[in-house]
């Protein structure tokens, strides 16, 4: 099976570096599947799950925005944050969800509203990804 190198890095750490068969990410224009020999591309990423197919199995990582660079047989994902299901603290995500929902009800200020919406999306994404393994 043909593969390409996938690297995932955040400002804090290198999260992943393996030869993989395929990934599915949430790009600015929706879900995007990347196979070996994909055309070169740079795209922003949305908050969402990142699926990785490797050795016939699927792994999942919660990503909260950033960029993906597809090069010749190498894909680099620069993520704001990235966690495996086992790393996700469900209670923390639940607390973040509740905080964000409270802010969304209370505030009318646009910047705060947008920020709370993003926090809510991150929390919901983490809960969804965490439940794949917990
Ligand atoms: P919180 O309000 O709980 O901090 P957040 O969405 O604002 O959530 P981020 O700014 O996205 O947090 O992430 C800050 C750091 O904390 C990153 O290293 C991220 O991986 C980690 N992190 C955030 N939430 C969780 C969680 N529920 N479980 C594990 N790690 C988390």
């Amino acid at each position: 099976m043909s593969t390409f190198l996938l690297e995932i890095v955040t400002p804090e750490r290198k999260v992943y570096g393996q030869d993989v068969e395929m990934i599915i990410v949430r790009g600015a224009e929706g879900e995007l599947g990347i196979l070996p020999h994909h055309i070169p591309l740079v795209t922003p990423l949305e908050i969402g799950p990142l699926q990785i197919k490797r050795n016939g199995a699927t792994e999942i990582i919660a990503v909260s925005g950033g960029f993906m660079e597809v090069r010749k047989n190498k894909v680099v994902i620069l993520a704001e944050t990235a966690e495996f299901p086992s790393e996700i603290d469900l209670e923390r995500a639940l607390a973040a969800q509740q905080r964000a929902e409270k802010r969304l009800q209370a505030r009318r200020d646009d910047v705060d509203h947008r920020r709370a919406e993003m926090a809510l999306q991150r929390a919901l994404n983490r809960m969804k990804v965490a439940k794949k393994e917990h």
Side-chain angles (χ1 to χ4, degrees), residues 100 103-104 106-119:
R103 288 197 184 116
L104 286 174
R107 297 268 172 87
R108 299 220 50 87
D109 177 279
D110 275 359
V111 175
D112 284 349
H113 202 270
R114 181 80 191 127
R115 202 180 282 171
E117 253 172 20
M118 302 298 278

Side-chain angles (χ1 to χ4, degrees), residues 24-122:
I24 301 172
V25 297
R26 191 159 301 160
E29 280 154 40
E31 284 211 327
L32 196 57
I34 308 289
L35 290 161
H37 311 293
H38 192 283
I39 51 161
L41 149 87
V42 174
T43 180
L45 297 178
E46 299 288 314
I47 296 165
L50 162 65
Q51 287 178 63
I52 304 169
K53 312 239 187 234
R54 179 169 169 264
N55 293 335
T58 303
E59 293 174 277
I60 188 162
I61 293 180
V63 168
S64 61
F67 288 89
M68 173 173 71
E69 183 190 24
V70 180
R71 277 193 255 155
K72 212 174 162 212
N73 254 17
K74 181 175 177 178
V75 172
V76 179
I77 291 182
L78 299 169
E80 278 163 32
T81 67
E83 302 104 30
F84 286 96
S86 61
E87 294 172 327
I88 294 171
D89 178 340
L90 264 176
E91 279 180 18
R92 177 173 168 183
L94 187 62
Q97 178 199 2
Q98 288 167 349
R99 241 180 0 256
E101 280 173 346
K102 228 180 242 171
R103 288 197 184 116
L104 286 174
Q105 284 165 5
R107 297 268 172 87
R108 299 220 50 87
D109 177 279
D110 275 359
V111 175
D112 284 349
H113 202 270
R114 181 80 191 127
R115 202 180 282 171
E117 253 172 20
M118 302 298 278
L120 179 59
Q121 275 191 39
R122 289 195 299 275

Side-chain angles (χ1 to χ4, degrees), residues 3-10 13-21 23 50 52-55 59 61 73-78 82 84 87:
T3 61
F4 61 91
L5 177 63
L6 172 66
E7 284 184 2
I8 304 173
V9 290
T10 70
R13 65 193 175 116
K14 179 163 177 182
V15 178
Y16 199 89
Q18 300 279 353
D19 288 320
V20 306
E21 285 131 29
I23 62 172
L50 162 65
I52 304 169
K53 312 239 187 234
R54 179 169 169 264
N55 293 335
E59 293 174 277
I61 293 180
N73 254 17
K74 181 175 177 178
V75 172
V76 179
I77 291 182
L78 299 169
F84 286 96
E87 294 172 327

